[in-house]
Amino acid sequence: MTIIHHPRSVERLIVGQETQDGAGVRLTRVLSHDLQERLDPFLMLDAFGSDNPGDYIAGFPNHPHRGFETVTYMIAGRMRHKDSSGNEGLLQNGGVQWMTAGRGLTHSEMPEQEEGVMEGFQLWLNLPAKNKLCEPWYRDIQSESIPEVTTDEGVLVRVIAGQSHNTAGAMQREHTDPLYFDLHFPNAEDTVFEQPLPTLHNAFVYVYRGGLKVGQGNKATDVPIKRMAVLTNDGDGVVLRAQANTRAILIAGKPLNEPIAQYGPFVMNTREELLQAVDDFRAGLMG
Ligand code: MN
C-alpha cells in the first residue's frame, strides 16, 4: 500500500569529511558548518565507526557546550559520560544519550572499552533562542527503551524521536519536532520503506550499511554507503528502496529560522552571545 503520493527527491549527495575531534578520535563529519542553514535545526552530524582502538581510545575529555542539544546514538561499543553537575551514565550497544546543554555544562565522553568495535553517531540539534539558556538536562535511553516497529515489508524501525508507523519514539521535542529513525532493512532486495514528513521539515538520510534509492521511478537517486542525501522540501514524505541488509538513519526537523552563531562547542544567535559564552566558561560558570 502506497502512503506517499509525492515523494521527496535528492537535492544533493554529501560525502563526509574525515577529521579528528576530542583528544584525537577519528570520525566523519557528515553534516558540517556549511549545511547548518540548509538543514536547520540540525547543526552537525558525526559518524564514527572503527575496530581500531587507536581511532577512538583517546575519547572526548572535559569540554563545554552551550545553546543546543547533543544526541549520541551508540550502535556498538561503550562510552561513559560524566558532567559537571555530577551526572554520569554508560551509553552502550543501541542506546541513546539525549543531552540539552542549555546555558552550559562541562562533560567528558570517554570509551569504556580497550578493544572491539565502536560505532555510532552524534547529532547536534539546535534550541530556539528562548531556550538556549535553559537548565541543562539529559536522559540516557537504554537500547531496550527505544520503541521499535516492523513494517509490513519487514523493515525494522528504531524510533528514537518522533513517530513512525503509529509508534511514538523515545523522545518528542517541541519547537523542532525532530524525527530520528534507525532503519534496518531485511535480507531481501528492493524492500520499500515509506515515511510521511511534514513539508516544512528539513530532512536527510545517511546510509551506513548497504545502499538505497531515494524517490520513485526515473526520479530515484542512488545513495551508496557513507553518503548523506539531503532531501528536497517538496512532497508529502520519502520513499526508500533498499538493497538487502541496508541500514540507514533518517532524520528530519522543523527549522527554527533564527540566526546561527557558532564558536566551537557554543551555538547561539549572535556574536555577542558567543563572547558571553566564552566569558562564562572562563569564569567557571559552566561547571
Ligand atoms: Mn560533548
Side-chain angles (χ1 to χ4, degrees), residues 63 65 107 109:
H63 58 278
H65 293 288
H107 77 162
E109 299 152 285

Side-chain angles (χ1 to χ4, degrees), residues 60 63-65 70 99 107-109 122 124:
F60 300 86
H63 58 278
H65 293 288
T70 66
M99 184 184 82
H107 77 162
S108 61
E109 299 152 285
Q122 187 169 85
W124 288 12

Side-chain angles (χ1 to χ4, degrees), residues 15-207:
V15 181
Q17 305 156 12
E18 302 301 321
T19 185
Q20 291 195 355
D21 208 340
V25 176
R26 289 182 56 141
L27 50 82
T28 305
R29 186 141 296 161
V30 180
L31 195 174
S32 54
H33 200 264
D34 53 329
L35 285 169
Q36 287 179 339
E37 289 195 9
R38 175 62 189 88
L39 292 177
D40 179 9
F42 303 105
L43 300 163
M44 194 187 83
L45 176 69
D46 284 345
F48 49 94
S50 176
D51 59 3
N52 174 6
D55 290 344
Y56 60 73
I57 203 76
F60 300 86
N62 266 336
H63 58 278
H65 293 288
R66 171 179 279 186
F68 60 100
E69 303 187 278
T70 66
V71 183
T72 310
Y73 180 31
M74 193 65 112
I75 291 167
R78 296 190 302 155
M79 183 110 82
R80 182 168 295 276
H81 64 88
K82 295 182 185 177
D83 73 26
S84 46
S85 304
N87 299 308
E88 181 174 343
L90 184 63
L91 178 61
Q92 59 186 331
N93 302 330
V96 169
Q97 187 208 38
W98 198 292
M99 184 184 82
T100 304
R103 68 167 185 252
L105 52 71
T106 300
H107 77 162
S108 61
E109 299 152 285
M110 300 299 290
E112 197 159 281
Q113 63 187 55
E114 292 176 353
E115 56 183 14
V117 176
M118 178 165 284
E119 181 178 21
F121 299 98
Q122 187 169 85
L123 177 73
W124 288 12
L125 170 60
N126 211 353
L127 285 167
K130 64 179 179 181
N131 289 349
K132 279 185 174 292
L133 298 181
C134 71
E135 189 75 19
W137 177 92
Y138 85 99
R139 184 176 158 205
D140 277 327
I141 308 163
Q142 302 303 330
S143 186
E144 57 271 22
S145 300
I146 295 176
E148 296 182 349
V149 59
T150 302
T151 68
D152 292 344
E153 292 77 15
V155 182
L156 173 74
V157 188
R158 308 197 77 222
V159 191
I160 295 167
Q163 180 169 323
S164 183
H165 295 75
N166 299 313
T167 301
M171 287 290 296
Q172 314 293 331
R173 302 297 278 149
E174 55 176 350
H175 305 299
T176 52
D177 187 24
L179 284 69
Y180 189 162
F181 309 140
D182 179 19
L183 307 174
H184 298 194
F185 288 87
N187 185 17
E189 295 295 327
D190 289 329
T191 303
V192 172
F193 175 79
E194 297 185 78
Q195 174 66 47
L197 296 172
T199 308
L200 286 178
H201 276 44
N202 291 324
F204 57 94
V205 178
Y206 179 81
V207 176

Side-chain angles (χ1 to χ4, degrees), residues 241-262:
R241 183 181 297 273
Q243 300 169 9
N245 300 311
T246 288
R247 290 198 188 184
I249 53 174
L250 170 61
I251 294 174
K254 185 178 162 195
L256 291 165
N257 296 314
E258 294 173 346
I260 300 167
Q262 178 175 4

